[in-house]
Amino acid sequence: MVYESVPRTVRIILLGESGVGKTSLILSLVTEEFTEHVPAKAEEITIPADVTPEQVPTNIVDVCLSEQTSEQIAEEIEKAHVICIVFSVDKQETLNKVASYWLPFVRDNCPDDYRKPVILVGNKIDLIDYSVIDNIWDIAEEYPEVDRCIECSAKTLTNVSEMFYNAQKAVLHPIGPIYSIEEQELTESCKKALSRIFKICDLDGDGLLDDYEITIFQKKCFDTPLQLQVLDEVKSVIAQNIAGGIENECITMKGFVYLHCLFIQRGRNETTWTVLRKFGYDESLELTHNYLYANIKVPVGCTTELSYKGQQFLTQTFEKYDRDKDGMLNPAELKNVFSCCPRVPWHNLRYTVPTNEKGYLTLQGWMCRWTLMTLLDLQNTSAYLAYLGFNFLENESQKTAIHITREKKVDIAKKQSSRNVYQCHVIGPRSCGKTSICRSFLGIAHKKIKPHANERGDGYSTENCCINSVVVYGQEKYLVLKEIPITRVSDPLQPHEVNCDVACLVYDVAASRSFEYIARIYIKYFAESHIPVLIVGTKGEAMVARQEYILQPDVFCNKYQLLPPQLFNIRENKHDIFVKLATMAAFPHLKHFASLAGDNSSWWKAGIGVAAATIMGLVLIKMLNFQRR
C-alpha cells in the first residue's frame, strides 16, 4: 500500500444520509453553539493553522445529496485527505447505509493502492442512553481504512472538536503504515524502523536503554526531560505486560517496541509518529531523500574529507560496536554496525584498507574506509551517516561531518596543500607491478589475493583503490593509491585517470620495453602539468635490464628534473616510497624535487609550514572540546 506525504493543508469531507447532522456538526464546531435552523449545506470552511492543535490549515467540506450528483461527490472524495461518514445513532438505517453504500462508494473512488482514512461518526448521542460503538467496530473490521469510530452530539457539542481533531490526526499521523488493526500489532515496517531507532539511542551498544539513554532520547524527540517518576511508571507498565521488556532496570528492544504499540492502541499515534519523523521517516516508513542526502555542493577543484566532528562520531561508532573491546570489528560486529542500513556498503576490505592478519577491520582501517568513501562517494557517506544516526545524535545534518577543501589552484599558489587526503594514481604497463605496490602499502604484498577486475570506468570509483595513513612531517595524512588498469599501451588516458594530487609511474626494471610506456605517458600528460610525479622501478631484486628507449630512466629523470627512479623490492616492503608520494602531494609547487634535493632550506621551510598547520589544528580541536563541555 502506498501512503501519501503529509499535506500542507488537511481537507476533510463529511458524507452521510440526509438529516444525520453533517451541517450541524460543522456549524457547531465553528460557532461553538447549536443552531436549530441550519441550511441544507454549509459552505466550505477554512480553519487557520494557528487555531488547530496540529498547526495545519484545515478545509472542511459539506456534502448535500439533494444538491450534488454522485459524480460531484466522487470529485470531492478525490480531493479530500480524510473522509468522515456521519450517521444518526438513533436511526439504524443510517448506520446500515454506512456499510452497504458509503464505504463501498468511498473505496470505489480512491486509487487502488491508496485508501484514504475514514472516520465513522455517530451523531446525536444526546437522543439515546446507550453506545453503538460495538456495532460500528463490526463494520470497521471489514474495512481496514476505517481509522476510528467516534460518538458525538452537535446539539450538546459533545466530542465535536475531538471528531475534527481526530480527522486531522488520521491524515497527519496515519495508523495504517504503523499498525495493523486486523492483527492488533505493529506493522513489520514500523518494527524495523523502531529497531533502527533503538540501536541509535543505545549509545553503549549493550542492547538496553538505561535511564541516561532514555533521557537523551526524550529530550531529542520531545524537547522536554522525562521525570524520574514517570520513567519508573513506564518501566512498570512494560514489566507488567510483556516478558523480557525490562532487564537490569533498563528497557530492552522488546519493551521499546511494545511501548509504541501501547501508545497506538491508546490512540496516541502522534507520539510514535513524532519519534519516526525525528529519525527521518516519511509516511511510507522510508527515510526521506532530504534526510539521507545532505545538500552539499562541492566546487570544481575541491575535494571532500571527514571533519573533526565526523571523525569523532565514527570513532565512537567503532568503539560502540567493538563488543569484545579487542580494537577490531570481526565479521559479526561489522554486520551488526550496518544492521540498520540497507546493506554493508563495503567489499574487499582486506584489499582496500589495513586490516589484521584475519582480515578484521581495525580502527585505522575503519577510518581509512570512511575517508575513502567520503572522497569518492560523498552521497553514500551522507546516507550511511544518516542510517547510523549522525543527524539525531549530533542534532544537525551530515554537512557538519564533511569538510570541503579549498581549490587545488589555491594550494599551488600558497605552495602548500591544505588537504589531509591525497589521491595518487599508479600508472604503468600491464604486469609491471602496480598491484604489488598497492598491496605493499597495506602490508599484504606477500599474500596470494585474487586480482581486481581490469575495467576502466567513467569516473573515480573505489575499484582498484587502496588507502592508508602516512605521516608527513609529524602530521597524519591519508594517501589513496588508485591503480589505473591498462589494456593496451596504445590506449590514451582519460582526464579522470590523469587528474590527481601525485602520480606514481611504474615500470619493470627487468623488462626492456617497460620504461618506454611511462616515459611517453609523462611527456604527454604530466610534463606540462602541476602534478608531481615519482617514477618507481619494480622488481628491484631482479637483474636490471637496459631499457630500449632513447633515454635510460636515470637520465630521463635528470632531464625532466625528477627524483631518480625509486627501486621497489616487494620483499623489503619499504614505506619510504609512500612517504615521498604523500610529501610531494603536500607541496605541489615543488614538482621538480631533483632541483631541491640538496636544498635543505626548502625542506626546512616546508617542514615548518606543516608543523604550524599541525599546531593550529591541535588548538582548534582543544577549542572545540572546550565548547562541547
Side-chain angles (χ1 to χ4, degrees), residues 237-308:
V237 169
I238 295 173
Q240 291 172 15
N241 288 277
I242 185 163
I246 300 294
E247 185 178 315
N248 298 329
E249 296 298 317
C250 301
I251 299 177
T252 65
M253 184 180 292
K254 193 174 181 181
F256 184 73
V257 171
Y258 167 77
L259 192 59
H260 283 278
C261 185
L262 191 62
F263 286 146
I264 296 167
Q265 288 173 345
R266 294 182 177 180
R268 291 174 56 188
N269 304 7
E270 65 275 13
T271 301
T272 298
W273 272 115
T274 298
V275 172
L276 290 168
R277 287 174 180 141
K278 190 71 176 181
F279 283 84
Y281 290 96
D282 62 14
E283 277 49 62
S284 297
L285 291 187
E286 298 288 341
L287 292 174
T288 66
H289 185 275
N290 290 340
Y291 180 85
L292 289 175
Y293 304 105
N295 184 21
I296 304 174
K297 295 182 179 178
V298 183
V300 176
C302 300
T303 59
T304 48
E305 302 174 358
L306 290 168
S307 68
Y308 170 72

Side-chain angles (χ1 to χ4, degrees), residues 387-400:
Y387 287 131
L388 295 176
F390 179 87
N391 314 47
F392 176 76
L393 295 174
E394 297 297 332
N395 208 26
E396 45 199 7
S397 83
Q398 305 94 303
K399 282 185 178 181
T400 60

Side-chain angles (χ1 to χ4, degrees), residues 532 561-563 583-584 587 590-597 603:
Q561 296 184 304
L562 301 174
L563 281 177
T583 304
M584 294 168 76
F587 302 99
L590 302 179
K591 181 187 175 187
H592 300 299
F593 267 67
S595 62
L596 295 169
W603 290 99

